[in-house]
Amino acid sequence: MPARSAPIVWDMSETPAESPDFDAMARDIAEVPAVEVIVTVAVNLMSAAAVKLGLTEEGDKHKDLDEARKLVHALAGLLDATATEISSFHAAPLRDGLKSLQLAFREASLVPDEPGKGPGEKYTGPVYG
């Protein structure tokens, strides 16, 4: 397996008068394999969903189930769309994380969705603990 490259980072610290170097940004992203971009996006969606579900140290401070629903649904759609494009080495832990988020959403909801109607279940089917 090839060594992982450094994470994708764009320096957005320029002052408004300066314009970003889009050519350099394009060269940087051109060197990153598609699988790594997909996995990075998925991990970012998972992290954001966990925050919106109140699963961080700050708990309920950032909890917003409407926002969490959107993020979990987007993650499920991404994983469904890329299932044949990324290896099971990458996909398996992402699917496990998605299921954990779906179960956490169900637990956090005052009125749980019917099986198959929860966030992302359009793509994964009903999720049970």
Side-chain angles (χ1 to χ4, degrees):
M1 180 169 164
R4 285 188 59 114
S5 60
I8 305 166
V9 178
W10 289 282
D11 182 7
M12 302 304 279
S13 62
E14 300 97 15
T15 60
E18 298 175 11
S19 63
D21 184 355
F22 290 111
D23 291 335
M25 291 169 57
R27 280 190 304 275
D28 291 345
I29 198 70
E31 297 173 8
V32 180
V35 170
E36 189 166 331
V37 174
I38 293 166
V39 170
T40 299
V41 170
V43 169
N44 285 328
L45 286 168
M46 292 175 83
S47 298
V51 169
K52 296 298 185 178
L53 283 168
L55 301 176
T56 61
E57 289 180 10
E58 296 179 357
D60 289 343
K61 181 178 179 184
H62 301 289
K63 189 173 185 177
D64 184 336
L65 294 183
D66 183 52
E67 291 289 303
R69 177 184 294 277
K70 293 170 188 171
L71 292 163
V72 172
H73 190 75
L75 174 62
L78 175 65
L79 295 181
D80 182 59
T82 60
T84 60
E85 305 299 326
I86 60 177
S87 67
S88 60
F89 175 80
H90 295 292
L94 295 173
R95 283 192 303 265
D96 290 345
L98 171 60
K99 182 177 180 181
S100 294
L101 290 170
Q102 289 172 309
L103 291 171
F105 185 91
R106 186 172 298 281
E107 186 176 306
S109 298
L110 295 176
V111 180
D113 296 311
E114 293 181 31
K117 301 293 184 186
E121 291 183 3
K122 169 183 176 179
Y123 301 106
T124 64
V127 175
Y128 302 100

